[in-house]
Amino acid sequence: MLDAAREVFAAHGADATVAKIAERAGVGMGSLYRRYGSKSDLLRQLCMQAMEESIQAAEAALAAPDAWTGLSDYVHASVARGSGALAPLAGSLETTPEMWETSRRGRRLLEQVVALAHSEGVLRSGVTALDVAWLVEFFGRRGPAAPGTEDEAVRRRLLAISLDGLRNRDAGPLPGPAPSAQHYERRWSPNRATPTDQIETIDESH
């Protein structure tokens, strides 16, 4: 059901109906509601699953034989799962403390992946964990691409070009300021303003 929900939201956005999800999953509405209770419960579970997958990808990246392989594998794995497909839900779903905690845990791990790449001198100066998070979101907004399709081939090609741009090759300075945690998180607050007690300071200097 969660896989079906991710595909449906990637195609139709936050206004996708539960009926569409049930149809894609091949189950009845009763079965879906017995398991999740409401559309909001389903969406929260879907977001939690995506964040836990990102955590697993970051942990795998930290265990990789070298920092560039770890970072590249993290990006490829996250895009392949279509994590960015959930971005349209931002602001339309009431979040929970558990969701914020899981999100920030994942981002702390990604910061470690990025810091390691900087320490090994393989990542372009100025690139932050939030740069990588936004990159993953942009490439994954349409959800997972079906294996063997032209869509998948195009996505892999463009992703390879983008990753090459992250390499440390004496490139010029990046334009504009680095993304902020406040901007990244604000989308997920229904009132579009993240409470100050939810914002944690993130060291993005490298």
Side-chain angles (χ1 to χ4, degrees):
M1 290 185 195
L2 292 176
D3 288 342
R6 186 177 299 191
E7 293 171 5
V8 168
F9 285 116
H12 303 285
D15 293 331
T17 64
V18 174
K20 278 189 177 294
I21 297 170
E23 180 182 358
R24 180 69 63 89
V27 300
M29 293 282 287
S31 297
L32 191 150
Y33 278 121
R34 278 195 297 273
R35 184 160 185 176
Y36 293 106
S38 69
K39 179 180 176 180
S40 293
D41 289 340
L42 170 63
L43 296 182
R44 279 188 281 269
Q45 183 60 39
L46 185 61
C47 289
M48 285 294 296
Q49 181 194 59
M51 290 187 287
E52 288 165 357
E53 289 172 347
S54 293
I55 287 171
Q56 292 169 6
E59 290 173 339
L62 291 170
D66 63 84
W68 180 257
T69 296
L71 176 61
S72 178
D73 286 352
Y74 172 88
V75 172
H76 278 291
S78 299
V79 170
R81 284 193 296 269
S83 298
L86 302 181
L89 301 179
S92 66
L93 180 67
E94 183 178 351
T95 53
T96 66
E98 183 184 14
M99 291 173 68
W100 283 110
E101 180 182 352
T102 304
S103 171
R104 287 167 179 161
R105 180 187 168 205
R107 202 158 68 241
R108 284 193 294 269
L109 286 169
L110 178 56
E111 287 170 351
Q112 293 178 37
V113 173
V114 168
L116 185 59
H118 278 299
S119 71
E120 292 190 9
V122 295
L123 184 60
R124 182 174 179 173
S125 177
V127 174
T128 71
L130 284 174
D131 287 316
V132 176
W134 278 109
L135 179 70
V136 166
E137 181 174 315
F138 280 130
F139 272 96
R141 273 182 176 267
R142 295 179 61 188
T149 62
E150 286 186 297
D151 280 346
E152 183 199 32
V154 169
R155 185 179 300 187
R156 289 181 64 85
R157 179 181 176 88
L158 295 179
L159 186 56
I161 294 171
S162 296
L163 283 170
D164 194 56
L166 293 180
R167 283 186 178 274
N168 185 15
R169 291 176 177 168
D170 297 323
L174 292 166
S180 70
Q182 291 89 340
H183 178 224
Y184 189 79
E185 294 181 347
R186 190 177 298 124
R187 304 166 299 153
W188 288 93
S189 297
N191 61 3
R192 300 292 181 178
T194 304
T196 54
D197 64 348
Q198 289 184 320
I199 297 175
E200 68 177 17
T201 300
I202 297 176
D203 182 2
E204 295 172 346
S205 61
H206 299 290

